[in-house]
C-alpha cells in the first residue's frame, strides 16, 4: 500500500470535497462548523495542506482542492463509502450507525481489502445514503438530483440521496418513511420561512409531513419527468 496522508489530512480533504460537492463555499468558517474544531486549528491545517500542494487558498477566499488533493479525497471517499455499504449489506448495520464506524476504519483498511470489499458487493456505485462511490481510478458520478429545498411546489420525485450524517436525523427519516427510493411530493411552502408540506409514499397510502429547513436541505431527489 502506498504511503497515505495522515488521518487528519484525509479527514480535511474529505470535508473540503464534501462541502464543495454540496455547493457550499469552503472557507475556514464552514470547515470549522463541519469538523467541530477551533478556527485556529482549521487555519493551521489549511496552511499545511497548501504547503503540501493539496489545496489552493487565497486569504478571505474559498479553499479549493488541487488535482492531487482531489485524487486523495476520492480515494478516502471510496474507502469510506464502500465500508458504509459493507456494514449495511453484510453486517446488518442500519444506515444511521455506519458513519462513525467508517470514519475510524477508512484510515486503516488496505487497498487490497478495499478491492475485495468492492468485489464482494458487486462493484457498487452508491453507498447506503445515496452518495456516489468513486471508481478505483478516481472517477466520480455527478447525479442529476435536486435538493428538496430548491424545487417548486408540485414537484414529484424519488429520494435519491441524504446529505446529512447525523444519526438522529437519519432515524427520524426512517421513522417517517423518508428513505432512499421513497416517492416524495412537495405540496406547499409555508410563508415566512415556515416548513415545507410534503407527501411521502405511493398514493393512496401516502402520508403528509411538515419538513423543516434542516431536512429540506439534506434530501436530494430525482425529479420525475
Amino acid at each position: 500500500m502506498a504511503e497515505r496522508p495522515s488521518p487528519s489530512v484525509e479527514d480535511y480533504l474529505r470535508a473540503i470535497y464534501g462541502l464543495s460537492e454540496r455547493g457550499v463555499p469552503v472557507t475556514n468558517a464552514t470547515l470549522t462548523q463541519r469538523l467541530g474544531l477551533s478556527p485556529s486549528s482549521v487555519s493551521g491545517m489549511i496552511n499545511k495542506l497548501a504547503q503540501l500542494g493539496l489545496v489552493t487558498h487565497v486569504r478571505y477566499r474559498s479553499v479549493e482542492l488541487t488535482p492531487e488533493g482531489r485524487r486523495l479525497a476520492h480515494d478516502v471517499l471510496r474507502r469510506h463509502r464502500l465500508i458504509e455499504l459493507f456494514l449495511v449489506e453484510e453486517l446488518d448495520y442500519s444506515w444511521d450507525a455506519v458513519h462513525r464506524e467508517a470514519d475510524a476504519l477508512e484510515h486503516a483498511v488496505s487497498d487490497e481489502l478495499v478491492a475485495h470489499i468492492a468485489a464482494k458487493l458487486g462493484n457498487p456505485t452508491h453507498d447506503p445514503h445515496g452518495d456516489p462511490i468513486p471508481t478505483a481510478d478516481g472517477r466520480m458520478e455527478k447525479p442529476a438530483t435536486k435538493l428538496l429545498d430548491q424545487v417548486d411546489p408540485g414537484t414529484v420525485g424519488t429520494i435519491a440521496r441524504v446529505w446529512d450524517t447525523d444519526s438522529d436525523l437519519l432515524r427520524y427519516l426512517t421513522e417517517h418513511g423518508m428513505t432512499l427510493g421513497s416517492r416524495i411530493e412537495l405540496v406547499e411552502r409555508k410563508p415566512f420561512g415556515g416548513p415545507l408540506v410534503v407527501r411521502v409514499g405511493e398514493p393512496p397510502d401516502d402520508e403528509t409531513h411538515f419538513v423543516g429547513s434542516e431536512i429540506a436541505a439534506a434530501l436530494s431527489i430525482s425529479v420525475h419527468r
Side-chain angles (χ1 to χ4, degrees), residues 28-68:
N28 285 22
T30 57
L31 275 172
T32 296
Q33 182 178 18
R34 175 78 171 180
L35 294 167
L37 300 173
S38 70
S40 60
S41 294
V42 170
S43 179
M45 180 58 83
I46 292 302
N47 289 334
K48 178 180 178 179
L49 294 176
Q51 291 169 4
L52 292 171
L54 301 178
V55 303
T56 57
H57 177 49
V58 178
R59 195 173 185 183
Y60 304 123
R61 298 179 65 181
S62 62
V63 178
E64 293 185 4
L65 293 171
T66 63
E68 177 64 8

Side-chain angles (χ1 to χ4, degrees), residues 4-34:
R4 290 176 180 162
S6 68
S8 59
V9 167
E10 289 192 331
D11 287 343
Y12 270 84
L13 293 176
R14 181 159 62 82
I16 291 167
Y17 189 93
L19 289 170
S20 61
E21 189 181 27
R22 194 168 179 171
V24 176
V26 184
T27 64
N28 285 22
T30 57
L31 275 172
T32 296
Q33 182 178 18
R34 175 78 171 180

Side-chain angles (χ1 to χ4, degrees), residues 117-139:
I117 290 174
K120 174 69 174 178
L121 297 174
N123 295 308
T125 58
H126 293 80
D127 76 0
H129 310 107
D131 297 320
I133 298 172
T135 61
D137 60 2
R139 289 177 289 112

